[in-house]
Amino acid sequence: QAAIRDDDEWYFFSEHNKKYANSARTERTTRAGHWKVTGKDRQIWDKNRKEVIGVKKNLVFYEGRGSNAVKTSWVIHEYHSNNASAYQAFSYFTFVFS
């Protein structure tokens, strides 16, 4: 993992962690809470080749677990590449402080 700070945005690069061994679901929990996907996935297009090269997901952080979880103002934009090989695959997160 790596973090790069630029003003009010932080950039994180990390490997994709699966929730279960034989599942495509992503693990997004922490000791303090969890990240929840909000809205629709957005396709990222290569305008020159006119093809989809990735997906953008918007996530909001919830403190706590279950029905006691409280929504915060913390937002992450998660990017996934369709073209990276398995050993190069990573998620790119932009963490915006509000």
Side-chain angles (χ1 to χ4, degrees):
Q1 291 184 356
I4 302 168
R5 180 159 164 53
D6 179 24
D7 292 334
D8 288 339
E9 294 186 1
W10 288 50
Y11 302 93
F12 295 89
F13 302 87
S14 78
E15 293 183 26
H16 179 85
N17 293 327
K18 292 184 177 181
K19 189 166 185 156
Y20 306 107
N22 294 326
S23 173
R25 292 178 63 186
T26 302
E27 177 67 48
R28 295 188 181 99
T29 59
T30 70
R31 284 183 234 142
H34 63 278
W35 292 97
K36 183 176 179 182
V37 177
T38 62
K40 296 180 181 179
D41 292 355
R42 305 285 181 195
Q43 295 179 332
I44 303 169
W45 287 83
D46 179 333
K47 293 178 183 174
N48 295 327
R49 291 196 260 165
K50 296 186 169 88
E51 66 180 348
V52 176
I53 59 171
V55 177
K56 175 184 174 183
K57 297 175 181 278
N58 295 324
L59 294 92
V60 173
F61 188 73
Y62 284 77
E63 289 183 306
R65 303 236 193 268
S67 60
N68 295 329
V70 177
K71 184 178 180 179
T72 69
S73 62
W74 292 13
V75 175
I76 278 185
H77 305 286
E78 183 179 274
Y79 297 86
H80 298 269
S81 170
N82 291 347
N83 302 325
S85 61
Y87 68 91
Q88 293 175 324
F90 64 88
S91 299
Y92 170 69
F93 304 101
T94 305
F95 186 71
V96 181
F97 292 94
S98 303

